[in-house]
Amino acid sequence: HLSLRLKEVASFVPQGARLADIGSDHAFLPVFLVTDKRIDFAVAGEVVKGPYEIAKAHVAAQALQNQIQVRLANGLAAFSKKDEIDTIVIAGMGGVLITQILEAGLEKINAQMRVILQANNHEDTLREWLSRHGFEIISEKIVEDADKIYEMMVAKKTDQKQELSVDEIKFGPRLKKEKSAIFIKKWQKEYQTRQYILSQLPNPTMPKYQAVKEEVQQIKEILK
Ligand code: SAM
């Protein structure tokens, strides 16, 4: 019963990966990957006691304790060097929270690791953070699941500075090139929302009006 969103996230996990799923909730993602014989080692990190207990019970009920270690931990503190983690997933949270988790655990991320991220909002904040901290976005995808549109990305730490342009931060460097039907749908909707906001703002000289107007222009350009 994995959601389409989580199936798409799972598709970025390489065969045989040693996975850390941070904010695993009920450990659905690692259970799916192990049951599907895609991986045989995962740490499921969860900071809240309730979901942690449920994840543990869920893993035990399927007799997967040898493959999936459920740990009560904050962010990347869920794993250590001896786990030999090569793939990190952080999915289903706000973009700001994801950047906070990455920032707090930055020294645990090495250049070999694949970092798979799916923010429910503020994807631009996340991409800007990645760009400023020397991560390269090597893959991106935009999907629709139950009338919601989700963006996901794979990032890797590099030595070189990866400055993204203003447009790349807002729309995603690969998504904006690809311009898929779902991408167009998302930004058409965002465009309409902002047009509505403009129509409701009484005074065109206020700074908010100008900011939204610039955003409308930026979206209009990308939709051309
Ligand atoms: N990753 C799953 C998914 O994509 O469906 C679950 C998403 S769930 C909405 C987010 C989970 O992240 C919650 O269970 C929450 O307790 C957990 N979480 C939030 N902050 C966390 C942190 N700093 N460290 C570990 N888990 C965290």
Side-chain angles (χ1 to χ4, degrees):
H1 51 251
L2 207 65
S3 64
L4 176 73
R5 172 186 60 84
L6 270 183
K7 276 201 181 122
E8 294 285 1
V9 169
S11 74
F12 287 114
V13 177
Q15 184 75 33
R18 292 181 67 87
L19 171 71
D21 182 31
I22 305 301
S24 195
D25 196 7
H26 296 175
F28 289 141
L29 180 72
V31 167
F32 168 78
L33 287 166
V34 171
T35 310
D36 211 35
K37 305 242 180 306
R38 307 251 292 270
I39 64 171
D40 57 21
F41 180 81
V43 170
E46 180 48 61
V47 78
V48 176
K49 198 103 192 255
Y52 157 78
E53 298 288 357
I54 294 169
K56 261 184 94 127
H58 188 203
V59 166
Q62 311 212 35
L64 296 175
Q65 303 96 314
N66 289 338
Q67 289 97 336
I68 303 171
Q69 302 199 4
V70 183
R71 296 180 186 160
L72 187 63
N74 189 348
L76 305 195
F79 67 88
S80 66
K81 231 184 182 120
K82 65 176 189 304
D83 296 312
E84 295 178 55
I85 296 302
D86 55 32
T87 305
I88 298 172
V89 167
I90 312 177
M93 298 175 215
V96 174
L97 179 56
I98 294 178
T99 62
Q100 286 163 353
I101 290 173
L102 291 171
E103 178 114 28
L106 191 53
E107 79 289 350
K108 294 183 108 162
I109 305 172
N110 64 44
Q112 277 72 51
M113 287 175 181
R114 166 180 277 250
V115 185
I116 302 165
L117 304 168
Q118 181 263 309
N120 288 342
N121 54 39
H122 295 298
E123 291 93 339
D124 52 349
T125 307
L126 182 54
R127 280 190 283 263
E128 188 175 27
W129 185 92
L130 290 168
S131 158
R132 268 194 288 114
H133 290 81
F135 284 82
E136 184 186 359
I137 296 171
I138 59 170
S139 188
E140 279 183 306
K141 196 161 184 190
I142 186 163
V143 304
E144 188 169 17
D145 182 9
D147 284 333
K148 276 194 169 162
I149 293 176
Y150 299 97
E151 292 180 14
M152 42 195 79
M153 62 192 97
V154 182
K156 273 196 149 184
K157 197 111 178 61
T158 59
D159 307 331
Q160 300 111 295
K161 264 236 165 300
Q162 286 297 147
E163 290 289 343
L164 294 180
S165 70
V166 173
D167 274 356
E168 286 173 329
I169 284 171
K170 187 167 186 68
F171 302 107
R174 285 155 192 273
L175 297 180
K176 83 180 251 293
K177 274 196 206 128
E178 180 191 83
K179 283 196 191 180
S180 70
I182 298 171
F183 177 91
I184 300 288
K185 186 174 172 180
K186 169 178 173 153
W187 289 107
Q188 271 171 350
K189 223 164 125 189
E190 298 281 340
Y191 180 80
Q192 282 158 10
T193 309
R194 281 165 184 77
Q195 288 284 47
Y196 177 75
I197 293 170
L198 281 186
S199 76
Q200 298 301 304
L201 289 174
N203 185 355
T205 60
M206 63 200 271
K208 166 89 175 160
Y209 189 97
Q210 287 310 319
V212 177
K213 208 172 167 193
E214 275 170 30
E215 230 188 324
V216 163
Q217 196 51 40
Q218 190 187 9
I219 298 170
K220 196 172 165 183
E221 287 296 319
I222 212 79
L223 288 173
K224 267 184 188 163

